[in-house]
Amino acid sequence: MKIDIISVVPDLLQGPFAHSILKRAKEKGLLDVNVINLRDYTTYARAQVDDYAFGGGAGMVMMIEPLVNAVESLQQQTVYDEIIYLTPDGTTLNQKTANALSLKNNLLMICGHYKGVDQRFRDHFVTKEISIGDYVLSGGELAAAVLTDAIGRLIPGVLNDETSALTDSFQDNLLAPPVYTRPEVFRDWKVPDILLSGNHKLIDEWRHEQSVERTKERRPDIMGE
Ligand code: 6GU
């Protein structure tokens, strides 16, 4: 899979993909993340990419021309399955969306800034609008990093048995059960006996019950979705 990300602060996106699972995905050739600087595509002086909003009001709006220049230039090389605009007024990201996007070949993400992008760009180029939650970030970059991580770890071959996504929280609309490792006793806090029993059928049942309890208590909204 290839993920291209258009940003006005590409430096913000240098760190997140250089480590652990996503680094391994890149090394295995399963994921290719490219960050594109929008300012490389502006035709305005001083690499301007935003301007005042028509109709007035506080805040700048990202201009359509640099965005279209960048997208159409990238489209000469790549046919994108989705052009995703990261924006707080998009559809809230969930595991189902991450699963679906992990099956695509080429994604283009656009990071919004300021008051957002000119609506005409959204109308004519964007195919999906995604938010990562009901709070406002200063730009779409951290959201693009979150989305890329959520997708990247699901690409077939990226995770191994130890890191398998099948047992993640949300994969079956349940939160993951509690987990324990050595030592068996710390202070007087003991690991539940069942986990040391060696009876895998009972352990699976216990974990499932714990998942159900935890989900009922913490996230009744996701049960039976
Ligand atoms: Cl995608 N962008 C911004 N700026 N803020 C957000 C967001 C996205 N998702 C939640 N908050």
Side-chain angles (χ1 to χ4, degrees), residues 85-88 112 130-140 143:
Y85 174 47
L86 282 312
T87 177
I130 294 180
S131 159
I132 62 162
D134 293 343
Y135 42 80
V136 177
L137 303 170
S138 51

PDB file of all heavy atoms in Angstrom, residues 85-88 112 130-140 143, ligand 1:
ATOM      1  N   TYR A  85      -9.794  13.783   3.199  1.00  0.00           N
ATOM      2  CA  TYR A  85      -9.534  15.074   3.844  1.00  0.00           C
ATOM      3  C   TYR A  85      -9.730  14.894   5.347  1.00  0.00           C
ATOM      4  O   TYR A  85     -10.808  14.471   5.783  1.00  0.00           O
ATOM      5  CB  TYR A  85     -10.486  16.128   3.265  1.00  0.00           C
ATOM      6  CG  TYR A  85     -10.422  17.477   3.937  1.00  0.00           C
ATOM      7  CD1 TYR A  85      -9.201  18.093   4.214  1.00  0.00           C
ATOM      8  CD2 TYR A  85     -11.597  18.142   4.289  1.00  0.00           C
ATOM      9  CE1 TYR A  85      -9.153  19.336   4.846  1.00  0.00           C
ATOM     10  CE2 TYR A  85     -11.557  19.389   4.901  1.00  0.00           C
ATOM     11  CZ  TYR A  85     -10.330  19.973   5.175  1.00  0.00           C
ATOM     12  OH  TYR A  85     -10.292  21.197   5.802  1.00  0.00           O
ATOM     13  N   LEU A  86      -8.686  15.187   6.114  1.00  0.00           N
ATOM     14  CA  LEU A  86      -8.759  15.075   7.569  1.00  0.00           C
ATOM     15  C   LEU A  86      -9.320  16.364   8.133  1.00  0.00           C
ATOM     16  O   LEU A  86      -8.716  17.429   7.964  1.00  0.00           O
ATOM     17  CB  LEU A  86      -7.358  14.837   8.167  1.00  0.00           C
ATOM     18  CG  LEU A  86      -6.725  13.442   8.116  1.00  0.00           C
ATOM     19  CD1 LEU A  86      -7.707  12.389   8.594  1.00  0.00           C
ATOM     20  CD2 LEU A  86      -6.211  13.104   6.749  1.00  0.00           C
ATOM     21  N   THR A  87     -10.477  16.268   8.770  1.00  0.00           N
ATOM     22  CA  THR A  87     -11.163  17.481   9.230  1.00  0.00           C
ATOM     23  C   THR A  87     -12.073  17.164  10.405  1.00  0.00           C
ATOM     24  O   THR A  87     -12.681  16.081  10.438  1.00  0.00           O
ATOM     25  CB  THR A  87     -11.994  18.084   8.052  1.00  0.00           C
ATOM     26  OG1 THR A  87     -12.711  19.227   8.521  1.00  0.00           O
ATOM     27  CG2 THR A  87     -12.984  17.082   7.478  1.00  0.00           C
ATOM     28  N   PRO A  88     -12.135  18.062  11.388  1.00  0.00           N
ATOM     29  CA  PRO A  88     -12.971  17.771  12.566  1.00  0.00           C
ATOM     30  C   PRO A  88     -14.446  17.598  12.216  1.00  0.00           C
ATOM     31  O   PRO A  88     -15.188  16.998  13.002  1.00  0.00           O
ATOM     32  CB  PRO A  88     -12.772  18.983  13.483  1.00  0.00           C
ATOM     33  CG  PRO A  88     -11.790  19.874  12.832  1.00  0.00           C
ATOM     34  CD  PRO A  88     -11.395  19.316  11.512  1.00  0.00           C
ATOM     35  N   GLY A 112      -5.768  19.385   6.757  1.00  0.00           N
ATOM     36  CA  GLY A 112      -6.310  20.739   6.802  1.00  0.00           C
ATOM     37  C   GLY A 112      -5.577  21.588   7.835  1.00  0.00           C
ATOM     38  O   GLY A 112      -4.974  21.072   8.772  1.00  0.00           O
ATOM     39  N   ILE A 130     -12.630  12.494   7.101  1.00  0.00           N
ATOM     40  CA  ILE A 130     -12.482  11.752   8.351  1.00  0.00           C
ATOM     41  C   ILE A 130     -12.008  12.662   9.476  1.00  0.00           C
ATOM     42  O   ILE A 130     -11.095  13.478   9.298  1.00  0.00           O
ATOM     43  CB  ILE A 130     -11.505  10.561   8.167  1.00  0.00           C
ATOM     44  CG1 ILE A 130     -12.119   9.538   7.201  1.00  0.00           C
ATOM     45  CG2 ILE A 130     -11.154   9.908   9.503  1.00  0.00           C
ATOM     46  CD1 ILE A 130     -11.258   8.317   6.932  1.00  0.00           C
ATOM     47  N   SER A 131     -12.621  12.489  10.651  1.00  0.00           N
ATOM     48  CA  SER A 131     -12.211  13.134  11.895  1.00  0.00           C
ATOM     49  C   SER A 131     -11.719  12.035  12.822  1.00  0.00           C
ATOM     50  O   SER A 131     -12.137  10.885  12.694  1.00  0.00           O
ATOM     51  CB  SER A 131     -13.423  13.830  12.528  1.00  0.00           C
ATOM     52  OG  SER A 131     -13.215  14.053  13.914  1.00  0.00           O
ATOM     53  N   ILE A 132     -10.827  12.343  13.761  1.00  0.00           N
ATOM     54  CA  ILE A 132     -10.409  11.295  14.705  1.00  0.00           C
ATOM     55  C   ILE A 132     -11.055  11.476  16.075  1.00  0.00           C
ATOM     56  O   ILE A 132     -10.720  10.760  17.014  1.00  0.00           O
ATOM     57  CB  ILE A 132      -8.875  11.156  14.828  1.00  0.00           C
ATOM     58  CG1 ILE A 132      -8.227  12.431  15.357  1.00  0.00           C
ATOM     59  CG2 ILE A 132      -8.279  10.749  13.484  1.00  0.00           C
ATOM     60  CD1 ILE A 132      -6.813  12.188  15.885  1.00  0.00           C
ATOM     61  N   GLY A 133     -12.015  12.388  16.200  1.00  0.00           N
ATOM     62  CA  GLY A 133     -12.721  12.510  17.478  1.00  0.00           C
ATOM     63  C   GLY A 133     -13.252  13.906  17.694  1.00  0.00           C
ATOM     64  O   GLY A 133     -12.903  14.831  16.954  1.00  0.00           O
ATOM     65  N   ASP A 134     -14.082  14.040  18.692  1.00  0.00           N
ATOM     66  CA  ASP A 134     -14.782  15.304  18.904  1.00  0.00           C
ATOM     67  C   ASP A 134     -13.972  16.294  19.738  1.00  0.00           C
ATOM     68  O   ASP A 134     -14.321  16.585  20.890  1.00  0.00           O
ATOM     69  CB  ASP A 134     -16.147  15.044  19.558  1.00  0.00           C
ATOM     70  CG  ASP A 134     -17.091  14.307  18.619  1.00  0.00           C
ATOM     71  OD1 ASP A 134     -16.812  14.284  17.395  1.00  0.00           O
ATOM     72  OD2 ASP A 134     -18.085  13.754  19.098  1.00  0.00           O
ATOM     73  N   TYR A 135     -12.901  16.749  19.158  1.00  0.00           N
ATOM     74  CA  TYR A 135     -12.051  17.786  19.758  1.00  0.00           C
ATOM     75  C   TYR A 135     -11.297  18.382  18.583  1.00  0.00           C
ATOM     76  O   TYR A 135     -11.222  17.766  17.521  1.00  0.00           O
ATOM     77  CB  TYR A 135     -11.080  17.180  20.781  1.00  0.00           C
ATOM     78  CG  TYR A 135     -10.478  15.894  20.290  1.00  0.00           C
ATOM     79  CD1 TYR A 135      -9.399  15.910  19.392  1.00  0.00           C
ATOM     80  CD2 TYR A 135     -11.016  14.662  20.645  1.00  0.00           C
ATOM     81  CE1 TYR A 135      -8.882  14.734  18.884  1.00  0.00           C
ATOM     82  CE2 TYR A 135     -10.501  13.480  20.140  1.00  0.00           C
ATOM     83  CZ  TYR A 135      -9.439  13.520  19.270  1.00  0.00           C
ATOM     84  OH  TYR A 135      -8.940  12.350  18.762  1.00  0.00           O
ATOM     85  N   VAL A 136     -10.745  19.578  18.766  1.00  0.00           N
ATOM     86  CA  VAL A 136     -10.095  20.226  17.626  1.00  0.00           C
ATOM     87  C   VAL A 136      -8.581  20.222  17.782  1.00  0.00           C
ATOM     88  O   VAL A 136      -8.060  20.623  18.826  1.00  0.00           O
ATOM     89  CB  VAL A 136     -10.631  21.661  17.437  1.00  0.00           C
ATOM     90  CG1 VAL A 136      -9.895  22.360  16.291  1.00  0.00           C
ATOM     91  CG2 VAL A 136     -12.128  21.625  17.136  1.00  0.00           C
ATOM     92  N   LEU A 137      -7.896  19.751  16.758  1.00  0.00           N
ATOM     93  CA  LEU A 137      -6.441  19.787  16.702  1.00  0.00           C
ATOM     94  C   LEU A 137      -6.031  21.003  15.889  1.00  0.00           C
ATOM     95  O   LEU A 137      -6.819  21.527  15.111  1.00  0.00           O
ATOM     96  CB  LEU A 137      -5.912  18.527  16.022  1.00  0.00           C
ATOM     97  CG  LEU A 137      -6.309  17.192  16.640  1.00  0.00           C
ATOM     98  CD1 LEU A 137      -5.925  16.046  15.715  1.00  0.00           C
ATOM     99  CD2 LEU A 137      -5.649  17.038  18.000  1.00  0.00           C
ATOM    100  N   SER A 138      -4.766  21.404  16.021  1.00  0.00           N
ATOM    101  CA  SER A 138      -4.345  22.607  15.293  1.00  0.00           C
ATOM    102  C   SER A 138      -4.113  22.324  13.814  1.00  0.00           C
ATOM    103  O   SER A 138      -3.926  23.237  13.029  1.00  0.00           O
ATOM    104  CB  SER A 138      -3.121  23.226  15.953  1.00  0.00           C
ATOM    105  OG  SER A 138      -2.144  22.256  16.133  1.00  0.00           O
ATOM    106  N   GLY A 139      -4.115  21.057  13.416  1.00  0.00           N
ATOM    107  CA  GLY A 139      -3.988  20.724  12.004  1.00  0.00           C
ATOM    108  C   GLY A 139      -4.293  19.261  11.802  1.00  0.00           C
ATOM    109  O   GLY A 139      -4.414  18.503  12.763  1.00  0.00           O
ATOM    110  N   GLY A 140      -4.411  18.841  10.549  1.00  0.00           N
ATOM    111  CA  GLY A 140      -4.771  17.463  10.263  1.00  0.00           C
ATOM    112  C   GLY A 140      -3.615  16.471  10.362  1.00  0.00           C
ATOM    113  O   GLY A 140      -3.826  15.262  10.244  1.00  0.00           O
ATOM    114  N   ALA A 143      -3.838  13.794  13.006  1.00  0.00           N
ATOM    115  CA  ALA A 143      -4.947  12.909  12.618  1.00  0.00           C
ATOM    116  C   ALA A 143      -4.506  11.976  11.485  1.00  0.00           C
ATOM    117  O   ALA A 143      -4.820  10.782  11.495  1.00  0.00           O
ATOM    118  CB  ALA A 143      -6.159  13.738  12.202  1.00  0.00           C
TER     119      ALA A 143
HETATM  120 CL1  6GU B   1      -8.934  15.252  11.216  1.00  0.00          CL
HETATM  121  N1  6GU B   1      -8.322  17.633  12.117  1.00  0.00           N
HETATM  122  C1  6GU B   1      -8.303  18.571  13.065  1.00  0.00           C
HETATM  123  N2  6GU B   1      -7.748  19.747  12.803  1.00  0.00           N
HETATM  124  N3  6GU B   1      -8.813  18.404  14.280  1.00  0.00           N
HETATM  125  C2  6GU B   1      -9.362  17.223  14.519  1.00  0.00           C
HETATM  126  C3  6GU B   1      -9.425  16.193  13.590  1.00  0.00           C
HETATM  127  C4  6GU B   1      -8.886  16.439  12.362  1.00  0.00           C
HETATM  128  N4  6GU B   1     -10.045  15.136  14.132  1.00  0.00           N
HETATM  129  C5  6GU B   1     -10.360  15.517  15.366  1.00  0.00           C
HETATM  130  N5  6GU B   1      -9.938  16.751  15.607  1.00  0.00           N
END
